[in-house]
Amino acid sequence: MATENRYRETAENQENGEETPFHGDLLDKIISLIPTIHLVPSFYVSKSWQRAVFSCLANSSRAKPWLIINVQSRRSLSSTTTHAYDPSSNVWIEITGPSTVAYTSPLRASHSDTLYMLSPSKFSFSSDLLHELWLDVVGPRVWRTDPVVAIVGSCIVVAGGTCDFEDDPLTVEIYDTASPGWFTCQPIPNIPKDSAASTWLSVAVSDHKMYLLEKHSGTFCSFDTNTKTWSGASGSFDLRPDPAIYFSVIGFAGGRLILVGLMGDPENVESLRIWEVNCDSFYCEEIGKMPWEMLDTLKNENSTLLPIDISAAENFIYVYSSSEPRNIFFCDLSVRVCQCQWGSVRCTFLNDRVLMDRFVFTCSRVSLDNLRKAFWVGSKKFNVEVAETVLIQ
C-alpha cells in the first residue's frame, strides 16, 4: 500500500510539473515492488521512471514467462474466460472485456504458445501473448477431429487425428502462408494408427522442425518443413533415457529441447524428471527432478497420478494436469547449473468452475509493449488476485 501511495503521489507531482523526489536505488526499489501489470503507467511518469522500468524488465526475475489459461465451457463455446499467472509478481489476472474472437469450434493449444480452432471449412490460429490477433485460412483437405498442429516458421503443419472414415489416419498436410495452399506430405512414420492424435502425441517446435513424441511408448520423430521429410531412415526411434519412464512429454525451454518423464507406473510413481535433449545426437542429460511432496499432490482421490502436460518458454517450465489443474507446478531452469528451483501455485479462480470445462494452456514471456496492448489499450479490463505460491529450492 505504501508503494502504491508513493506511485500515486509521484504521478500527481509529475502532472503538476514537479520533479519526482525518487532517484537511483530508491526509485529502482520502488519499481521492483510494483506488479508487472502496473509497469505500463509507471513508464509514463518521467524519463527516470522509464529507465527504471526498462531496468526492471531486464532483470532475470521479471523474465519469467506468464502462464495463460483459457477456460471454455463444453456446452457453450462462447463462454470462455482467460486468466494469466505472473510468477514474478505472484498474481492471477483475470482478463475481461469485449472479445474479438468467435468461438465456432473447440479451443486447442499447440507447443506452448499457439492457440487454434479447426473445423472442416476453416483453420484459425493465434500466437500473440493474450491471443487477441487471430488469422484464418481455409480448412485442411482431410477432415480431422484431434490432429497434432504446429506452426513452424511460415508453415502450418496438421498431422493425424483424422475422422474414422478417412483412408489414412497418419496423413500429414502443410499450409504455407508464404504461398497459400494445402499440400500432402509423407505420413507420420512408425506411430500406431490408434495413437496418431494429439491425445497421445506431444509436440515441440524449433525454427524449421516439428518434433513428435508418443507419450506412452517414447517413439520419437521429427519433420523438417524445408525438405518436407521425416528424420532418419526409419523415421523414428525410442526417446527414453531410462526404461522406467512410462509417460513423457516434450517442449522447448530457452532454446533447448526438454523431455519431462514420469518414472514407474501410474499406481506406483517413483519420480518426475527432466532431461535436456541434444537435437543432433538426441543424447539426454538429466537436469532436474520434482520434489516428492509436489509429485504427490498430482494424484487424484484414488491415489493415481494424473496424466501431465507442460507449457514452456525461456528457461521456465509449467507442469500440470490439464484435466484437473487445481495446482500448477513450475520449474526455473536458469537458477543454477544442474539444479532447478521448483514452485507451485493454486488456481484459486477455479473454485467456482466446473472441472468438466475445457482448460487450454499457453505460455509466453511478456514485454512492455505486450502489456500496453493487452491491458491498457481500448476498453479491456482486468482483475488482479494474489496467488498462493510455494517455492522449493
Side-chain angles (χ1 to χ4, degrees):
M1 180 63 69
T3 301
E4 293 181 1
N5 289 338
R6 287 182 176 179
Y7 164 74
R8 188 179 298 108
E9 291 172 3
T10 302
E12 291 174 353
N13 290 340
Q14 189 69 20
E15 290 179 359
N16 296 331
E18 301 176 19
E19 289 294 328
T20 172
F22 306 117
H23 301 281
D25 293 341
L26 177 58
L27 178 56
D28 290 341
K29 180 63 176 178
I30 293 173
I31 294 294
S32 70
L33 297 175
I34 297 176
T36 308
I37 188 65
H38 294 302
L39 289 180
V40 174
S42 304
F43 178 82
Y44 294 104
V45 171
S46 68
K47 289 184 178 180
S48 60
W49 279 61
Q50 289 180 13
R51 290 191 293 269
V53 168
F54 275 128
S55 176
C56 179
L57 288 174
N59 186 286
S60 59
S61 65
R62 292 280 184 167
K64 297 175 182 178
W66 289 18
L67 180 70
I68 313 297
I69 304 180
N70 293 275
V71 186
Q72 185 179 53
S73 170
R74 295 180 185 270
R75 294 182 177 181
S76 175
L77 299 180
S78 60
S79 179
T80 301
T81 60
T82 302
H83 301 262
Y85 174 64
D86 173 13
S88 63
S89 303
N90 188 30
V91 294
W92 282 104
I93 304 163
E94 180 182 2
I95 315 301
T96 60
S99 175
T100 59
V101 184
Y103 297 101
T104 56
S105 56
L107 191 63
R108 301 179 185 274
S110 176
H111 56 86
S112 295
D113 65 356
T114 300
L115 290 180
Y116 70 92
M117 293 181 286
L118 179 64
S119 70
S121 60
K122 185 171 67 173
F123 177 84
S124 304
F125 67 99
S126 174
S127 298
D128 62 299
L129 172 65
L130 290 175
H131 307 289
E132 288 293 301
L133 177 63
W134 285 77
L135 299 177
D136 299 327
V137 301
V138 65
R141 298 172 181 174
V142 176
W143 189 1
R144 306 169 189 266
T145 57
D146 186 26
V148 172
V149 173
I151 311 299
V152 189
S154 63
C155 294
I156 302 168
V157 184
V158 181
T162 62
C163 293
D164 293 337
F165 58 77
E166 294 289 350
D167 294 333
D168 185 3
L170 300 175
T171 185
V172 176
E173 292 179 90
I174 286 185
Y175 184 98
D176 192 338
T177 55
S179 54
W182 287 100
F183 303 93
T184 303
C185 301
Q186 294 179 351
I188 306 173
N190 297 339
I191 295 287
K193 293 183 177 180
D194 292 340
S195 298
S198 66
T199 301
W200 314 109
L201 296 175
S202 180
V203 60
V205 169
S206 66
D207 292 338
H208 63 279
K209 282 189 178 182
M210 174 184 74
Y211 299 89
L212 289 184
L213 176 72
E214 210 283 328
K215 298 176 183 178
H216 294 278
S217 69
T219 301
F220 178 81
C221 56
S222 65
F223 181 79
D224 191 316
T225 56
N226 289 337
T227 62
K228 309 295 189 296
T229 57
W230 293 89
S231 59
S234 62
S236 63
F237 58 93
D238 191 338
L239 189 70
R240 283 188 295 185
D242 190 310
I245 298 174
Y246 76 90
F247 185 91
S248 54
V249 292
I250 54 175
F252 269 92
R256 300 179 289 175
L257 181 60
I258 300 297
L259 173 71
V260 179
L262 295 173
M263 316 285 287
D265 59 69
E267 285 71 36
N268 184 26
V269 181
E270 299 173 3
S271 61
L272 182 150
R273 305 193 180 202
I274 301 176
W275 291 265
E276 179 180 345
V277 183
N278 185 300
C279 290
D280 295 321
S281 65
F282 299 110
Y283 170 77
C284 299
E285 178 184 0
E286 185 174 335
I287 59 175
K289 179 180 178 180
M290 177 181 278
W292 175 254
E293 55 268 35
M294 288 188 174
L295 183 63
D296 197 46
T297 61
L298 270 171
K299 297 178 180 179
N300 60 18
E301 58 185 12
N302 298 320
S303 298
T304 299
L305 196 72
L306 297 165
I308 63 164
D309 209 340
I310 64 171
S311 291
E314 302 297 324
N315 287 300
F316 220 70
I317 303 174
Y318 290 96
V319 182
Y320 47 83
S321 167
S322 56
S323 59
E324 295 186 23
R326 294 292 190 190
N327 295 296
I328 305 294
F329 307 90
F330 49 84
C331 180
D332 188 347
L333 302 177
S334 65
V335 175
R336 195 176 303 168
V337 178
C338 298
Q339 184 173 349
C340 307
Q341 183 182 51
W342 286 89
S344 66
V345 60
R346 286 190 58 82
C347 291
T348 52
F349 61 87
L350 291 181
N351 290 338
D352 59 347
R353 294 298 305 225
V354 179
L355 285 178
M356 287 301 292
D357 288 347
R358 183 189 306 276
F359 300 95
V360 186
F361 299 79
T362 57
C363 176
S364 180
R365 181 178 178 178
V366 300
S367 67
L368 191 68
D369 193 50
N370 292 146
L371 295 172
R372 185 183 65 82
K373 291 179 180 178
F375 298 106
W376 298 96
V377 175
S379 57
K380 186 168 288 294
K381 302 176 182 178
F382 59 91
N383 296 318
V384 179
E385 180 180 356
V386 177
E388 302 174 13
T389 306
V390 175
L391 291 174
I392 296 181
Q393 181 71 37

